[in-house]
Amino acid sequence: MEFETLLYELLEGVGYVTLNRPDAGNAINLQMAKDLAYVAMHCDEEPAVRAVLFTSTGKMFCAGGDLKSFASSGDAMPGLLKEITTYLHAAVSRFARMDAPVITAINGSAAGAGFSLACAGDLAIAADSARFTMAYTAIGLTPDGSSTYYLPRLIGTRRTLELMMTNRSLTAAEALEWGIVNRVVAPEALAEESTKLAQRLAAGPTLAFGRVKELVLQSTDSLESQMEKETRAIADSSRTADARGAIAAFLEKRKPTFSGE
């Protein structure tokens, strides 16, 4: 598949989604928002995609929204922002609800919606040169792209409000300490390490991963309601070929092979 603002490739079960507006800091304009929505839909619909690795070209992961396009829209800016977020939010939702795990590899600064995208992955690896800042209120705007949902769950209300109100910049080491990313690696190791993780997950039980994502994303119910969801999910998972094959492999003391079915 070809996109105007993204690169996309499917290799060995991994869908590689790469933001590709390096001269604009990979800032999100309307076309990129549309491309993200369509690539997310493709990844969700394509059974061969068993993990997604999300990263960027250039020195920045994503500078956030494309402020030049915002400003040039004049009085139409509110309508433009509604259109952009319609597509952007559709992409985030699709990636969250799909069975395949999504790994974000943050290769540089993640600001505004870029920070939101970094938070929206199921797992995140950052280069130690990466920086994270919300930046929205610095220009009189409010967050989008899912950060008001994910950040409080990742780091708590107080720290979320601090980031969103003061626009404090976090280093990659601080992002790791706070729980925003899972690992920090040297910039030259990011591609290799994130690819290894994506390939490992792509070889795993995709349907079980999808149920894990669903359980964790919806874990705001009462204890009893959440446990009922767990009961149904584990029972449904036991119907899959992957589960039956893996249980047999465990009992026979051999390594399981997962097909994603």
Side-chain angles (χ1 to χ4, degrees):
M1 296 185 70
E2 293 187 1
F3 298 93
E4 186 176 328
T5 67
L6 308 174
L7 301 176
Y8 175 76
E9 187 175 20
L10 175 61
L11 291 173
E12 299 179 353
V14 179
Y16 293 84
V17 178
T18 306
L19 302 182
N20 191 35
R21 296 187 72 216
D23 293 341
N26 294 309
I28 300 172
N29 60 7
L30 179 57
Q31 185 59 51
M32 181 178 280
K34 288 181 178 180
D35 287 348
L36 284 168
Y38 291 128
V39 77
M41 189 182 304
H42 171 78
C43 290
D44 190 28
E45 285 295 311
E46 176 52 67
V49 176
R50 296 178 58 193
V52 173
L53 180 56
F54 195 100
T55 190
S56 302
T57 60
K59 295 181 179 180
M60 295 192 71
F61 176 70
C62 177
D66 187 337
L67 299 185
K68 288 184 178 179
S69 70
F70 295 178
S72 66
S73 65
D75 291 341
M77 189 188 304
L80 174 64
L81 289 172
K82 286 182 178 180
E83 189 174 8
I84 288 174
T85 54
T86 294
Y87 288 106
L88 175 61
H89 292 173
V92 171
S93 178
R94 199 73 64 197
F95 281 127
R97 304 299 179 188
M98 66 188 293
D99 290 330
V102 178
I103 301 101
T104 50
I106 302 110
N107 55 300
S109 295
F115 195 162
S116 297
L117 289 175
C119 293
D122 299 312
L123 298 172
I125 302 179
D128 60 19
S129 56
R131 295 293 183 272
F132 301 79
T133 182
M134 277 278 98
Y136 291 93
T137 57
I139 52 172
L141 297 179
T142 52
D144 62 358
S146 77
S147 55
T148 62
Y149 178 87
Y150 283 114
L151 266 179
R153 288 162 172 78
L154 290 170
I155 66 175
T157 301
R158 294 286 191 193
R159 282 179 163 174
T160 296
L161 289 173
E162 179 185 357
L163 290 181
M164 293 181 176
M165 291 182 174
T166 70
N167 302 301
R168 171 179 173 179
S169 178
L170 297 180
T171 65
E174 288 171 324
L176 176 64
E177 180 187 352
W178 283 26
I180 294 169
V181 301
N182 299 94
R183 290 177 59 197
V184 173
V185 299
E188 60 272 19
L190 180 64
E192 180 181 357
E193 293 300 317
S194 59
T195 297
K196 276 187 195 175
L197 177 58
Q199 290 173 339
R200 175 183 174 184
L201 293 173
T206 311
L207 296 178
F209 289 154
R211 291 190 175 100
V212 168
K213 289 170 64 167
E214 184 178 1
L215 285 168
V216 173
L217 281 172
Q218 297 179 0
S219 61
T220 56
D221 286 343
S222 68
L223 172 62
E224 289 73 21
S225 295
Q226 186 66 17
M227 289 191 297
E228 175 61 19
K229 289 178 182 177
E230 290 178 347
T231 294
R232 291 181 177 276
I234 196 171
D236 287 341
S237 295
S238 73
R239 307 178 208 277
T240 65
D242 274 349
R244 294 182 182 185
I247 291 170
F250 178 83
L251 295 174
E252 295 166 11
K253 295 182 171 53
R254 55 182 173 82
K255 185 177 180 180
T257 299
F258 297 106
S259 64
E261 298 177 351

